[in-house]
Amino acid sequence: MRLQDKVAVITGAASGIGLEIARTFAREGAKIVIADLNQAGADAAAASLDPTGERALGVAMNVTDEAQVEAGMARAVAAFGRIDILVSNAGIQTVAPVEQFEFAKWKQLLSIHLDGAFLTTRAALRTMYEQGSGSIIYMGSVHSKEASALKAPYVTAKHGLIGLAKVVAKEGAAHGVRANVICPGFVRTPLVEKQIPEQARELGISEEDVVKKVMLKETVDGEFTTVEDVAEAALFFASFGSNALTGQSLVVSHGWFMQ
Ligand SMILES: NC(=O)c1ccc[n+]([C@@H]2O[C@H](COP(=O)([O-])OP(=O)(O)OC[C@H]3O[C@@H](n4cnc5c(N)ncnc54)[C@H](O)[C@@H]3O)[C@@H](O)[C@H]2O)c1
C-alpha cells in the first residue's frame, strides 16, 4: 500500500473527481477526511469508504469561509492526529461570455477556486510544517494552460493555481512540503454534465456537438478523461518518495494539451 496510515484531506470529495481520489487513497491505506459543502453529503461519502468511521471522516466545509476551513482542518487533526496530504479540489463551473458575465458569479467562482485553495493550504501548512512533511495537490485543469471561450473566471482561477503551487513549493521546501497541480481534460462528472446543455445554448449547437466539437475536439482519440485517470495522477503526486517532485503541473487529457 502506497499511502499506509497517511492522512488525506480532500475538498469537494462528496462527488466526482474528489470522491474517486478519496476511494483510491483509502484503497492505498490512507485515512480520509471528506470536506464538502454539506455534512450529509460528506458523511455519506465517508461512510461509503469506511462505515465504521475509524478511517474516514465527513466534515462540512465551505472552502470560501475562513472560519469553516479553520474548524474543519482542526477536526481533521483532532480525529487523525496529522495531515499528510491536502487535495484542494472543490470547484464549480459557470459559462457565459465576458461582456455578459455577472460580477457576483465571477467573484463566486474565483473565491471557491482561489480563496478555497489559499485557506485550506494555509491551515494545512501549519500542521505540515510541525510534522516536517506534507504534499499539497491542487486540482487545476487543461484550463490552467489553455483558454476556452465562455470560461473567463475558470481559466483565470485555474491559471492562478499554478502560481500558488509554485510559491508553496518554494516556501514549503524547507519544511519538507511539496506542492503540485493536476490538469485534467474533460471528465464526465456532474460539473461537466451541467455545462453540456449550457454550452449548447450559448453556442447555438447541439449537445452532441458540444461534446465532439468543443470538449473532445483537440484530444488525440476523442475520449473523455476518467475520474480513475485523475485519481492515479493524484496518487502519483501524493506517494512520490522524495521532495524532488514539487512545483509541477501534470496534464491528464488524452493529448488535448501537450507540453
Ligand atoms: N470534470 C471535469 O471535466 C474537470 C476537468 C478539469 C478540472 N476539474 C476540476 O476538478 C474539481 C472537481 O470537479 P468535479 O468535476 O469532480 O465536479 P463535481 O461537481 O462532481 O464535484 C465538485 C464538488 O465540490 C463541492 N463544492 C463546490 N463548492 C464548494 C465549496 N464552496 N466548498 C466545498 N465544496 C464545494 C461540490 O459540493 C461537489 O461535491 C474542480 O476543481 C474542477 O474545476 C474538473
Side-chain angles (χ1 to χ4, degrees), residues 88-139:
S88 171
N89 166 79
I92 61 164
Q93 179 62 278
T94 310
V95 294
V98 175
E99 80 281 6
Q100 291 169 23
F101 228 104
E102 286 173 40
F103 189 33
K105 291 197 166 169
W106 163 272
K107 285 194 281 194
Q108 179 199 32
L109 196 146
L110 290 188
S111 179
I112 293 172
H113 291 260
L114 292 178
D115 297 351
F118 161 68
L119 290 171
T120 52
T121 297
R122 191 180 63 176
L125 283 181
R126 293 192 195 113
T127 301
M128 290 176 173
Y129 284 3
E130 274 173 28
Q131 296 162 185
S133 65
S135 171
I136 299 187
I137 300 167
Y138 298 99
M139 197 51 64

Tab-separated table of all heavy atoms in Angstrom, residues 88-139:
chain	number	residue	atom	x	y	z
A	88	SER	N	-6.715	20.051	-2.786
A	88	SER	CA	-7.615	21.204	-2.918
A	88	SER	C	-8.338	21.045	-4.249
A	88	SER	O	-7.802	21.348	-5.312
A	88	SER	CB	-6.792	22.495	-2.893
A	88	SER	OG	-7.628	23.574	-3.232
A	89	ASN	N	-9.562	20.526	-4.163
A	89	ASN	CA	-10.262	20.040	-5.358
A	89	ASN	C	-11.629	20.691	-5.566
A	89	ASN	O	-12.139	20.702	-6.686
A	89	ASN	CB	-10.404	18.511	-5.217
A	89	ASN	CG	-11.389	17.912	-6.185
A	89	ASN	OD1	-11.081	17.718	-7.355
A	89	ASN	ND2	-12.613	17.635	-5.718
A	90	ALA	N	-12.230	21.238	-4.520
A	90	ALA	CA	-13.598	21.781	-4.644
A	90	ALA	C	-13.653	22.800	-5.776
A	90	ALA	O	-12.757	23.632	-5.916
A	90	ALA	CB	-14.023	22.439	-3.331
A	91	GLY	N	-14.704	22.713	-6.581
A	91	GLY	CA	-14.799	23.666	-7.680
A	91	GLY	C	-16.168	23.674	-8.322
A	91	GLY	O	-16.970	22.751	-8.115
A	92	ILE	N	-16.424	24.724	-9.076
A	92	ILE	CA	-17.667	24.840	-9.844
A	92	ILE	C	-17.293	25.346	-11.244
A	92	ILE	O	-16.154	25.746	-11.484
A	92	ILE	CB	-18.680	25.829	-9.210
A	92	ILE	CG1	-18.080	27.246	-9.138
A	92	ILE	CG2	-19.100	25.346	-7.831
A	92	ILE	CD1	-19.117	28.329	-8.896
A	93	GLN	N	-18.285	25.348	-12.110
A	93	GLN	CA	-18.097	25.932	-13.442
A	93	GLN	C	-19.304	26.815	-13.751
A	93	GLN	O	-20.440	26.457	-13.416
A	93	GLN	CB	-17.994	24.819	-14.497
A	93	GLN	CG	-17.831	25.299	-15.917
A	93	GLN	CD	-16.547	26.090	-16.132
A	93	GLN	OE1	-16.484	27.281	-15.835
A	93	GLN	NE2	-15.524	25.426	-16.645
A	94	THR	N	-19.070	27.968	-14.341
A	94	THR	CA	-20.143	28.851	-14.803
A	94	THR	C	-19.734	29.359	-16.171
A	94	THR	O	-18.609	29.839	-16.318
A	94	THR	CB	-20.305	30.063	-13.852
A	94	THR	OG1	-20.391	29.588	-12.513
A	94	THR	CG2	-21.554	30.857	-14.186
A	95	VAL	N	-20.628	29.212	-17.160
A	95	VAL	CA	-20.248	29.640	-18.508
A	95	VAL	C	-21.077	30.835	-18.976
A	95	VAL	O	-22.292	30.868	-18.801
A	95	VAL	CB	-20.369	28.483	-19.547
A	95	VAL	CG1	-19.363	27.401	-19.257
A	95	VAL	CG2	-21.770	27.916	-19.620
A	96	ALA	N	-20.380	31.819	-19.543
A	96	ALA	CA	-21.022	32.992	-20.164
A	96	ALA	C	-19.926	33.802	-20.852
A	96	ALA	O	-18.760	33.733	-20.448
A	96	ALA	CB	-21.710	33.854	-19.112
A	97	PRO	N	-20.289	34.565	-21.880
A	97	PRO	CA	-19.274	35.431	-22.498
A	97	PRO	C	-18.870	36.567	-21.546
A	97	PRO	O	-19.671	36.980	-20.700
A	97	PRO	CB	-19.973	35.991	-23.731
A	97	PRO	CG	-21.390	35.566	-23.666
A	97	PRO	CD	-21.588	34.627	-22.535
A	98	VAL	N	-17.642	37.046	-21.702
A	98	VAL	CA	-17.102	38.026	-20.747
A	98	VAL	C	-18.019	39.236	-20.616
A	98	VAL	O	-18.305	39.701	-19.501
A	98	VAL	CB	-15.692	38.485	-21.192
A	98	VAL	CG1	-15.176	39.593	-20.275
A	98	VAL	CG2	-14.716	37.316	-21.176
A	99	GLU	N	-18.516	39.752	-21.750
A	99	GLU	CA	-19.265	41.010	-21.675
A	99	GLU	C	-20.605	40.843	-20.967
A	99	GLU	O	-21.234	41.823	-20.595
A	99	GLU	CB	-19.426	41.642	-23.071
A	99	GLU	CG	-20.522	41.054	-23.960
A	99	GLU	CD	-20.111	39.745	-24.634
A	99	GLU	OE1	-19.031	39.208	-24.342
A	99	GLU	OE2	-20.913	39.247	-25.466
A	100	GLN	N	-21.032	39.598	-20.768
A	100	GLN	CA	-22.298	39.368	-20.056
A	100	GLN	C	-22.087	38.754	-18.673
A	100	GLN	O	-23.046	38.474	-17.964
A	100	GLN	CB	-23.179	38.413	-20.870
A	100	GLN	CG	-23.702	39.016	-22.155
A	100	GLN	CD	-24.345	37.963	-23.060
A	100	GLN	OE1	-24.782	36.913	-22.595
A	100	GLN	NE2	-24.387	38.259	-24.349
A	101	PHE	N	-20.830	38.506	-18.292
A	101	PHE	CA	-20.596	37.770	-17.043
A	101	PHE	C	-21.029	38.600	-15.839
A	101	PHE	O	-20.602	39.733	-15.676
A	101	PHE	CB	-19.109	37.393	-16.898
A	101	PHE	CG	-18.928	35.952	-16.515
A	101	PHE	CD1	-18.514	35.010	-17.439
A	101	PHE	CD2	-19.218	35.545	-15.221
A	101	PHE	CE1	-18.376	33.685	-17.094
A	101	PHE	CE2	-19.085	34.212	-14.860
A	101	PHE	CZ	-18.668	33.273	-15.804
A	102	GLU	N	-21.867	38.035	-14.999
A	102	GLU	CA	-22.288	38.746	-13.783
A	102	GLU	C	-21.108	38.816	-12.819
A	102	GLU	O	-20.455	37.805	-12.564
A	102	GLU	CB	-23.423	37.992	-13.097
A	102	GLU	CG	-24.754	38.119	-13.799
A	102	GLU	CD	-25.793	37.205	-13.138
A	102	GLU	OE1	-25.797	37.105	-11.893
A	102	GLU	OE2	-26.562	36.589	-13.888
A	103	PHE	N	-20.905	40.000	-12.262
A	103	PHE	CA	-19.767	40.209	-11.350
A	103	PHE	C	-19.865	39.251	-10.158
A	103	PHE	O	-18.861	38.665	-9.722
A	103	PHE	CB	-19.760	41.668	-10.889
A	103	PHE	CG	-18.534	42.078	-10.127
A	103	PHE	CD1	-17.280	41.533	-10.394
A	103	PHE	CD2	-18.630	43.041	-9.120
A	103	PHE	CE1	-16.146	41.930	-9.690
A	103	PHE	CE2	-17.505	43.439	-8.409
A	103	PHE	CZ	-16.265	42.881	-8.687
A	104	ALA	N	-21.080	39.052	-9.656
A	104	ALA	CA	-21.245	38.170	-8.483
A	104	ALA	C	-20.803	36.744	-8.818
A	104	ALA	O	-20.182	36.064	-7.995
A	104	ALA	CB	-22.690	38.182	-8.017
A	105	LYS	N	-21.108	36.305	-10.050
A	105	LYS	CA	-20.719	34.938	-10.432
A	105	LYS	C	-19.216	34.834	-10.661
A	105	LYS	O	-18.598	33.803	-10.385
A	105	LYS	CB	-21.499	34.495	-11.675
A	105	LYS	CG	-22.969	34.288	-11.344
A	105	LYS	CD	-23.688	33.483	-12.391
A	105	LYS	CE	-25.030	33.026	-11.829
A	105	LYS	NZ	-25.904	32.468	-12.846
A	106	TRP	N	-18.637	35.888	-11.222
A	106	TRP	CA	-17.167	35.943	-11.378
A	106	TRP	C	-16.495	35.782	-10.009
A	106	TRP	O	-15.611	34.963	-9.817
A	106	TRP	CB	-16.804	37.280	-12.040
A	106	TRP	CG	-15.367	37.711	-11.940
A	106	TRP	CD1	-14.809	38.442	-10.930
A	106	TRP	CD2	-14.297	37.438	-12.865
A	106	TRP	NE1	-13.469	38.647	-11.180
A	106	TRP	CE2	-13.126	38.044	-12.344
A	106	TRP	CE3	-14.216	36.756	-14.074
A	106	TRP	CZ2	-11.891	37.980	-12.998
A	106	TRP	CZ3	-12.972	36.688	-14.728
A	106	TRP	CH2	-11.835	37.291	-14.197
A	107	LYS	N	-16.978	36.583	-9.036
A	107	LYS	CA	-16.353	36.569	-7.708
A	107	LYS	C	-16.576	35.222	-7.011
A	107	LYS	O	-15.682	34.716	-6.330
A	107	LYS	CB	-16.906	37.710	-6.842
A	107	LYS	CG	-16.339	39.056	-7.248
A	107	LYS	CD	-16.595	40.144	-6.225
A	107	LYS	CE	-17.988	40.666	-6.320
A	107	LYS	NZ	-18.191	41.922	-5.580
A	108	GLN	N	-17.774	34.650	-7.203
A	108	GLN	CA	-18.060	33.348	-6.563
A	108	GLN	C	-17.090	32.281	-7.071
A	108	GLN	O	-16.528	31.505	-6.297
A	108	GLN	CB	-19.505	32.922	-6.883
A	108	GLN	CG	-19.871	31.585	-6.278
A	108	GLN	CD	-21.090	30.948	-6.941
A	108	GLN	OE1	-21.339	31.122	-8.145
A	108	GLN	NE2	-21.860	30.225	-6.149
A	109	LEU	N	-16.887	32.245	-8.383
A	109	LEU	CA	-16.010	31.207	-8.945
A	109	LEU	C	-14.559	31.405	-8.489
A	109	LEU	O	-13.896	30.462	-8.043
A	109	LEU	CB	-16.112	31.188	-10.472
A	109	LEU	CG	-15.538	29.906	-11.074
A	109	LEU	CD1	-16.302	29.468	-12.318
A	109	LEU	CD2	-14.063	29.996	-11.391
A	110	LEU	N	-14.075	32.657	-8.567
A	110	LEU	CA	-12.693	32.894	-8.118
A	110	LEU	C	-12.541	32.539	-6.651
A	110	LEU	O	-11.519	31.993	-6.226
A	110	LEU	CB	-12.306	34.361	-8.342
A	110	LEU	CG	-12.114	34.826	-9.778
A	110	LEU	CD1	-11.546	36.239	-9.793
A	110	LEU	CD2	-11.203	33.915	-10.578
A	111	SER	N	-13.551	32.847	-5.871
A	111	SER	CA	-13.463	32.597	-4.434
A	111	SER	C	-13.381	31.096	-4.134
A	111	SER	O	-12.551	30.662	-3.326
A	111	SER	CB	-14.666	33.238	-3.747
A	111	SER	OG	-14.588	32.988	-2.373
A	112	ILE	N	-14.238	30.302	-4.779
A	112	ILE	CA	-14.210	28.855	-4.494
A	112	ILE	C	-12.855	28.262	-4.904
A	112	ILE	O	-12.225	27.526	-4.144
A	112	ILE	CB	-15.377	28.130	-5.202
A	112	ILE	CG1	-16.711	28.573	-4.588
A	112	ILE	CG2	-15.217	26.607	-5.104
A	112	ILE	CD1	-17.949	28.082	-5.313
A	113	HIS	N	-12.385	28.617	-6.095
A	113	HIS	CA	-11.146	28.001	-6.581
A	113	HIS	C	-9.901	28.589	-5.913
A	113	HIS	O	-8.990	27.840	-5.549
A	113	HIS	CB	-11.041	28.135	-8.105
A	113	HIS	CG	-12.049	27.302	-8.843
A	113	HIS	ND1	-11.751	26.094	-9.413
A	113	HIS	CD2	-13.372	27.490	-9.087
A	113	HIS	CE1	-12.836	25.575	-9.973
A	113	HIS	NE2	-13.832	26.413	-9.786
A	114	LEU	N	-9.842	29.911	-5.776
A	114	LEU	CA	-8.593	30.527	-5.292
A	114	LEU	C	-8.594	30.769	-3.786
A	114	LEU	O	-7.651	30.403	-3.098
A	114	LEU	CB	-8.328	31.832	-6.048
A	114	LEU	CG	-7.986	31.657	-7.536
A	114	LEU	CD1	-7.779	33.009	-8.209
A	114	LEU	CD2	-6.747	30.790	-7.734
A	115	ASP	N	-9.659	31.421	-3.256
A	115	ASP	CA	-9.707	31.598	-1.796
A	115	ASP	C	-9.715	30.226	-1.132
A	115	ASP	O	-9.065	30.010	-0.108
A	115	ASP	CB	-10.959	32.369	-1.356
A	115	ASP	CG	-11.017	33.788	-1.906
A	115	ASP	OD1	-10.020	34.254	-2.481
A	115	ASP	OD2	-12.080	34.432	-1.767
A	116	GLY	N	-10.470	29.292	-1.718
A	116	GLY	CA	-10.553	27.942	-1.145
A	116	GLY	C	-9.182	27.284	-1.098
A	116	GLY	O	-8.798	26.677	-0.094
A	117	ALA	N	-8.427	27.409	-2.183
A	117	ALA	CA	-7.080	26.815	-2.215
A	117	ALA	C	-6.188	27.494	-1.181
A	117	ALA	O	-5.445	26.836	-0.444
A	117	ALA	CB	-6.486	26.950	-3.618
A	118	PHE	N	-6.262	28.812	-1.110
A	118	PHE	CA	-5.423	29.539	-0.148
A	118	PHE	C	-5.766	29.163	1.295
A	118	PHE	O	-4.886	28.837	2.098
A	118	PHE	CB	-5.577	31.061	-0.343
A	118	PHE	CG	-5.124	31.857	0.840
A	118	PHE	CD1	-3.770	31.903	1.189
A	118	PHE	CD2	-6.030	32.527	1.651
A	118	PHE	CE1	-3.347	32.620	2.310
A	118	PHE	CE2	-5.614	33.226	2.766
A	118	PHE	CZ	-4.267	33.277	3.100
A	119	LEU	N	-7.051	29.214	1.638
A	119	LEU	CA	-7.442	28.988	3.044
A	119	LEU	C	-7.106	27.569	3.502
A	119	LEU	O	-6.609	27.363	4.614
A	119	LEU	CB	-8.938	29.260	3.224
A	119	LEU	CG	-9.369	30.734	3.128
A	119	LEU	CD1	-10.901	30.843	3.102
A	119	LEU	CD2	-8.802	31.549	4.288
A	120	THR	N	-7.380	26.580	2.645
A	120	THR	CA	-7.096	25.196	3.044
A	120	THR	C	-5.583	24.959	3.094
A	120	THR	O	-5.087	24.264	3.975
A	120	THR	CB	-7.779	24.180	2.099
A	120	THR	OG1	-7.452	24.500	0.744
A	120	THR	CG2	-9.278	24.186	2.272
A	121	THR	N	-4.856	25.580	2.155
A	121	THR	CA	-3.393	25.452	2.177
A	121	THR	C	-2.823	26.042	3.462
A	121	THR	O	-1.999	25.423	4.140
A	121	THR	CB	-2.774	26.192	0.963
A	121	THR	OG1	-3.222	25.564	-0.230
A	121	THR	CG2	-1.253	26.173	1.013
A	122	ARG	N	-3.256	27.248	3.793
A	122	ARG	CA	-2.710	27.923	4.981
A	122	ARG	C	-2.922	27.069	6.224
A	122	ARG	O	-2.008	26.877	7.033
A	122	ARG	CB	-3.373	29.303	5.140
A	122	ARG	CG	-2.699	30.173	6.179
A	122	ARG	CD	-3.382	31.512	6.308
A	122	ARG	NE	-4.770	31.376	6.764
A	122	ARG	CZ	-5.573	32.397	7.030
A	122	ARG	NH1	-5.141	33.636	6.870
A	122	ARG	NH2	-6.814	32.195	7.449
A	123	ALA	N	-4.146	26.550	6.356
A	123	ALA	CA	-4.445	25.737	7.543
A	123	ALA	C	-3.632	24.441	7.533
A	123	ALA	O	-3.093	24.029	8.568
A	123	ALA	CB	-5.938	25.439	7.596
A	124	ALA	N	-3.520	23.799	6.381
A	124	ALA	CA	-2.781	22.526	6.311
A	124	ALA	C	-1.298	22.739	6.574
A	124	ALA	O	-0.647	21.915	7.226
A	124	ALA	CB	-2.979	21.877	4.938
A	125	LEU	N	-0.746	23.851	6.074
A	125	LEU	CA	0.703	24.070	6.206
A	125	LEU	C	1.131	24.147	7.659
A	125	LEU	O	2.219	23.677	8.022
A	125	LEU	CB	1.120	25.354	5.474
A	125	LEU	CG	1.223	25.244	3.951
A	125	LEU	CD1	1.668	26.584	3.356
A	125	LEU	CD2	2.172	24.129	3.509
A	126	ARG	N	0.270	24.728	8.499
A	126	ARG	CA	0.668	24.842	9.922
A	126	ARG	C	0.961	23.453	10.485
A	126	ARG	O	1.969	23.242	11.161
A	126	ARG	CB	-0.436	25.529	10.712
A	126	ARG	CG	-0.607	26.982	10.304
A	126	ARG	CD	-1.497	27.735	11.290
A	126	ARG	NE	-1.918	28.983	10.719
A	126	ARG	CZ	-3.175	29.293	10.375
A	126	ARG	NH1	-4.149	28.429	10.596
A	126	ARG	NH2	-3.443	30.450	9.839
A	127	THR	N	0.067	22.510	10.197
A	127	THR	CA	0.269	21.140	10.687
A	127	THR	C	1.435	20.474	9.965
A	127	THR	O	2.269	19.816	10.586
A	127	THR	CB	-1.031	20.323	10.476
A	127	THR	OG1	-2.074	20.975	11.182
A	127	THR	CG2	-0.896	18.907	10.984
A	128	MET	N	1.506	20.648	8.649
A	128	MET	CA	2.584	20.004	7.869
A	128	MET	C	3.954	20.527	8.304
A	128	MET	O	4.921	19.757	8.389
A	128	MET	CB	2.358	20.236	6.379
A	128	MET	CG	1.168	19.460	5.822
A	128	MET	SD	0.869	19.859	4.084
A	128	MET	CE	-0.426	18.669	3.674
A	129	TYR	N	4.065	21.819	8.572
A	129	TYR	CA	5.356	22.378	9.000
A	129	TYR	C	5.766	21.798	10.356
A	129	TYR	O	6.937	21.518	10.586
A	129	TYR	CB	5.282	23.910	9.061
A	129	TYR	CG	5.336	24.611	7.700
A	129	TYR	CD1	5.371	23.887	6.509
A	129	TYR	CD2	5.348	26.003	7.613
A	129	TYR	CE1	5.405	24.533	5.275
A	129	TYR	CE2	5.393	26.655	6.385
A	129	TYR	CZ	5.420	25.923	5.220
A	129	TYR	OH	5.462	26.567	4.004
A	130	GLU	N	4.789	21.614	11.253
A	130	GLU	CA	5.120	20.977	12.554
A	130	GLU	C	5.640	19.562	12.339
A	130	GLU	O	6.564	19.116	13.017
A	130	GLU	CB	3.868	20.900	13.435
A	130	GLU	CG	3.602	22.153	14.254
A	130	GLU	CD	2.262	22.072	14.961
A	130	GLU	OE1	1.794	20.962	15.274
A	130	GLU	OE2	1.665	23.153	15.184
A	131	GLN	N	5.030	18.862	11.375
A	131	GLN	CA	5.452	17.475	11.094
A	131	GLN	C	6.773	17.411	10.341
A	131	GLN	O	7.476	16.413	10.370
A	131	GLN	CB	4.419	16.781	10.191
A	131	GLN	CG	3.058	16.613	10.788
A	131	GLN	CD	1.983	16.328	9.734
A	131	GLN	OE1	0.832	16.257	10.091
A	131	GLN	NE2	2.325	16.188	8.477
A	132	GLY	N	7.046	18.482	9.562
A	132	GLY	CA	8.228	18.472	8.681
A	132	GLY	C	7.996	17.718	7.383
A	132	GLY	O	8.945	17.332	6.704
A	133	SER	N	6.712	17.519	7.025
A	133	SER	CA	6.424	16.834	5.757
A	133	SER	C	4.988	17.100	5.326
A	133	SER	O	4.128	17.413	6.156
A	133	SER	CB	6.618	15.323	5.906
A	133	SER	OG	5.656	14.811	6.818
A	134	GLY	N	4.753	16.930	4.035
A	134	GLY	CA	3.386	17.070	3.519
A	134	GLY	C	3.387	17.197	2.007
A	134	GLY	O	4.409	17.513	1.390
A	135	SER	N	2.211	16.904	1.421
A	135	SER	CA	2.057	17.019	-0.028
A	135	SER	C	0.736	17.728	-0.312
A	135	SER	O	-0.313	17.292	0.165
A	135	SER	CB	2.053	15.612	-0.644
A	135	SER	OG	1.694	15.689	-2.012
A	136	ILE	N	0.811	18.808	-1.056
A	136	ILE	CA	-0.405	19.544	-1.411
A	136	ILE	C	-0.625	19.398	-2.912
A	136	ILE	O	0.303	19.583	-3.712
A	136	ILE	CB	-0.303	21.029	-1.006
A	136	ILE	CG1	-0.131	21.103	0.522
A	136	ILE	CG2	-1.535	21.803	-1.467
A	136	ILE	CD1	-0.175	22.485	1.101
A	137	ILE	N	-1.847	19.028	-3.257
A	137	ILE	CA	-2.184	18.804	-4.665
A	137	ILE	C	-3.365	19.714	-5.015
A	137	ILE	O	-4.415	19.655	-4.351
A	137	ILE	CB	-2.571	17.326	-4.897
A	137	ILE	CG1	-1.395	16.412	-4.519
A	137	ILE	CG2	-2.993	17.103	-6.348
A	137	ILE	CD1	-1.760	14.947	-4.400
A	138	TYR	N	-3.180	20.534	-6.002
A	138	TYR	CA	-4.261	21.417	-6.455
A	138	TYR	C	-4.917	20.812	-7.686
A	138	TYR	O	-4.222	20.298	-8.573
A	138	TYR	CB	-3.708	22.813	-6.807
A	138	TYR	CG	-3.090	23.486	-5.611
A	138	TYR	CD1	-1.709	23.482	-5.414
A	138	TYR	CD2	-3.885	24.090	-4.645
A	138	TYR	CE1	-1.135	24.064	-4.300
A	138	TYR	CE2	-3.328	24.682	-3.530
A	138	TYR	CZ	-1.953	24.666	-3.358
A	138	TYR	OH	-1.393	25.241	-2.242
A	139	MET	N	-6.268	20.900	-7.741
A	139	MET	CA	-6.954	20.430	-8.936
A	139	MET	C	-7.029	21.589	-9.921
A	139	MET	O	-7.891	22.446	-9.840
A	139	MET	CB	-8.357	19.907	-8.587
A	139	MET	CG	-8.946	19.051	-9.687
A	139	MET	SD	-7.825	17.719	-10.248
A	139	MET	CE	-7.713	16.728	-8.742
